[in-house]
């Protein structure tokens, strides 16, 4: 069955060549759909050299909605390794796709970046591409498209997990244990958190103080989305490398946003959200902090980390009465005691700190 010829393949190849020679040629959506619907894991590999190079070339200059082109390209990319994909789509081409207003182009670029999650070596290669990493993070936090944001969030988390240097980091081991993966080199962590431009970008895109409609700014709605995306990924990062998200190589960045303690975690928890003006984000922040503490409660916590958590909870409780009431309610809840006894135990321990 897999040896059955693909109907319309030759016509599609000819059509792609026409698009290269005459970019104004209208796309034949029917022809693309006809071929794409026949693709399988078995017949895709021999089609890659026949179709993907021309698709990549067309996408570089295509001025219309690239959804049809991107859909076929994503399917053809499925079996390709990260380094092989880079021979078909350069760093500049991927950046161009990330900057495109078309979500399909964003998804195509993220599909290529996602391939670096397959091995620590691929993540290390990605870390060298500063502009690509920077534009990827920009797209993650700035896109109004939910699908693009979700794929970017998952990809970023997976990248940092595969790149995490478990031999050198102060990673927290879960009590339940788990599959031990080969340690990464930590190069992508350093690219994001020890590169001043990229570290500054995270603060700039997420801080409520930079809300606006000017170049490089996010309006109120998009700012809330960016903040929520950062909060969503932080609990996962905390279990991978707590030290990195609670320290800073650039204290001047925190100072410029009037953040008195170092680290992206402190910024996001204490200073990022305008609680008085953005009630929905305040609720999101409370949910995040509860989830964060619940996840931390399932880990073996060292004394320095316990001290940090105690200071953070004390700060939050002092400045956010609603958050404090929520934590009190959780600590006293019989339901929580049954469903998340570790969380209740952690809250009680933190409450004992002076």
């Amino acid at each position: 069955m897999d040896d059955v010829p693909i109907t319309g393949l030759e016509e599609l190849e000819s059509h792609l060549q026409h698009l290269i020679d005459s970019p104004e040629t209208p796309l034949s959506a029917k022809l693309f759909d006809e071929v794409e619907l026949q693709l399988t894991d078995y017949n895709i590999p021999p089609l890659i050299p026949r179709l993907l190079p021309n698709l990549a070339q067309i996408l570089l200059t295509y001025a219309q909605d690239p959804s049809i082109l991107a859909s076929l390209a994503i399917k053809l990319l499925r079996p390709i390794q990260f380094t092989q994909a880079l021979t078909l789509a350069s760093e500049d081409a991927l950046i161009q796709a990330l900057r495109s207003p078309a979500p399909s182009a964003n998804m195509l670029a993220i599909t290529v970046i996602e391939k670096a999650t397959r091995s620590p070596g691929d993540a290390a290669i990605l870390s060298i591409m500063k502009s690509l990493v920077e534009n990827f993070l920009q797209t993650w936090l700035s896109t109004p498209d939910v699908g693009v944001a979700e794929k970017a969030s998952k990809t970023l988390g997976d990248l940092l997990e595969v790149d995490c240097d478990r031999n050198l980091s102060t990673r927290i081991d879960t009590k339940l244990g788990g599959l031990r993966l080969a340690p990464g080199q930590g190069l992508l962590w350093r690219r994001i958190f020890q590169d001043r431009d990229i570290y500054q970008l995270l603060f700039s895109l997420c801080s409520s103080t930079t809300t606006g409609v000017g170049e490089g700014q996010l309006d109120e709605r998009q700012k809330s989305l960016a903040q929520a995306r950062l909060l969503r990924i932080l609990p996962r990062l905390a279990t991978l490398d707590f030290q990195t998200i609670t320290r800073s190589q650039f204290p001047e960045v925190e100072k410029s946003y009037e953040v008195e303690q170092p680290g992206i975690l402190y910024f996001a928890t204490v200073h990022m959200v305008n609680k008085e003006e953005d009630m929905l984000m305040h609720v999101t922040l409370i949910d995040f902090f509860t989830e964060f503490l619940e996840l931390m409660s399932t880990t073996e916590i060292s004394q320095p980390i316990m001290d940090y958590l105690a200071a953070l909870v004390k700060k939050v409780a002092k400045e956010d009465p609603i958050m404090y009431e929520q934590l009190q309610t959780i600590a006293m809840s019989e339901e929580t005691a049954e469903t998340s006894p570790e969380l209740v135990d952690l809250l009680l321990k933190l409450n004992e700190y002076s």
Side-chain angles (χ1 to χ4, degrees), residues 6-305:
I6 297 175
T7 303
L9 178 59
E10 287 74 18
E11 291 86 345
L12 179 60
E13 287 183 287
S14 177
H15 184 49
L16 291 175
Q17 191 59 54
H18 281 308
L19 287 167
I20 292 173
D21 297 335
S22 304
E24 70 280 0
T25 302
L27 276 182
S28 174
K30 181 179 179 181
L31 185 56
F32 275 85
D33 289 343
E34 182 181 26
V35 171
E36 186 173 340
L37 287 171
Q38 299 174 73
L39 297 184
T40 66
D41 291 340
Y42 178 85
N43 64 24
I44 283 178
L47 296 181
I48 291 172
R50 294 178 64 177
L51 300 178
L52 202 49
N54 282 347
L55 278 171
Q57 184 177 345
I58 294 166
L59 281 163
L60 284 174
T61 57
Y62 193 69
Q64 306 301 317
D65 183 355
S67 299
I68 295 172
L69 295 163
S71 177
L72 179 58
I74 287 173
K75 202 157 191 178
L76 291 170
L77 280 168
R78 197 159 55 197
I80 291 180
Q81 300 296 317
F82 180 60
T83 51
Q84 185 182 359
L86 292 178
T87 66
L88 297 166
S90 67
E91 180 180 0
D92 287 342
L94 292 173
I95 291 172
Q96 181 179 328
L98 287 170
R99 291 178 176 176
S100 170
S104 58
N106 304 155
M107 293 289 274
L108 177 57
I110 296 171
T111 296
V112 174
I113 294 171
E114 183 184 33
K115 292 181 177 298
T117 65
R118 296 181 181 178
S119 76
D122 287 339
I125 292 172
L126 176 63
S127 72
I128 299 171
M129 305 176 185
K130 174 179 175 176
S131 294
L132 181 57
V133 174
E134 190 169 8
N135 278 272
F136 170 59
L137 295 175
Q138 177 97 34
T139 299
W140 166 51
L141 294 173
S142 302
T143 180
D145 188 89
V146 175
V148 172
E150 289 181 350
K151 187 173 183 65
S153 292
K154 183 180 186 307
T155 297
L156 178 59
D158 291 347
L159 283 167
L160 290 173
E161 180 165 351
V162 77
D163 181 62
C164 184
D165 188 336
R166 291 169 175 79
N167 292 328
L168 298 178
S169 74
T170 56
R171 180 177 179 271
I172 308 166
D173 293 323
T174 62
K175 294 176 182 176
L176 299 178
L179 182 64
R180 292 288 180 173
L181 303 176
Q185 300 176 49
L187 296 177
L188 189 60
W189 283 85
R190 290 196 281 277
R191 171 60 68 196
I192 294 174
F193 296 103
Q194 296 182 26
D195 181 296
R196 192 189 189 285
D197 294 333
I198 294 181
Y199 191 62
Q200 164 79 30
L201 177 69
L202 297 176
F203 279 72
S204 174
L205 290 176
C206 293
S207 173
S208 294
T209 63
T210 59
T211 303
V213 294
E215 184 177 356
Q217 292 183 310
L218 302 179
D219 61 24
E220 290 183 4
R221 179 180 181 278
Q222 194 59 49
K223 180 69 68 174
S224 295
L225 291 174
Q227 292 173 346
R229 289 164 191 170
L230 179 61
L231 291 175
R232 198 171 298 123
I233 201 172
L234 280 175
R236 183 178 183 184
L237 301 191
T239 65
L240 292 172
D241 194 336
F242 193 86
Q243 177 175 301
T244 293
I245 65 170
T246 55
R247 296 188 180 183
S248 175
Q249 299 291 319
F250 311 102
E252 68 275 12
V253 172
E254 277 86 356
K255 185 177 180 181
S256 68
Y257 289 92
E258 299 182 354
V259 180
E260 67 272 12
Q261 294 293 329
I264 196 77
L265 177 62
Y266 189 90
F267 160 72
T269 305
V270 179
H271 288 275
M272 181 177 72
V273 175
N274 187 329
K275 307 176 188 68
E276 289 74 25
E277 296 184 8
D278 194 339
M279 295 179 62
L280 182 58
M281 270 311 303
H282 190 195
V283 172
T284 301
L285 180 64
I286 293 172
D287 290 342
F288 148 75
F289 200 56
T290 304
E291 178 190 348
F292 166 68
L293 290 176
E294 184 169 13
L295 186 58
M296 295 299 295
S297 73
T298 64
T299 65
E300 295 289 350
I301 303 176
S302 66
Q303 191 59 49
I305 292 176

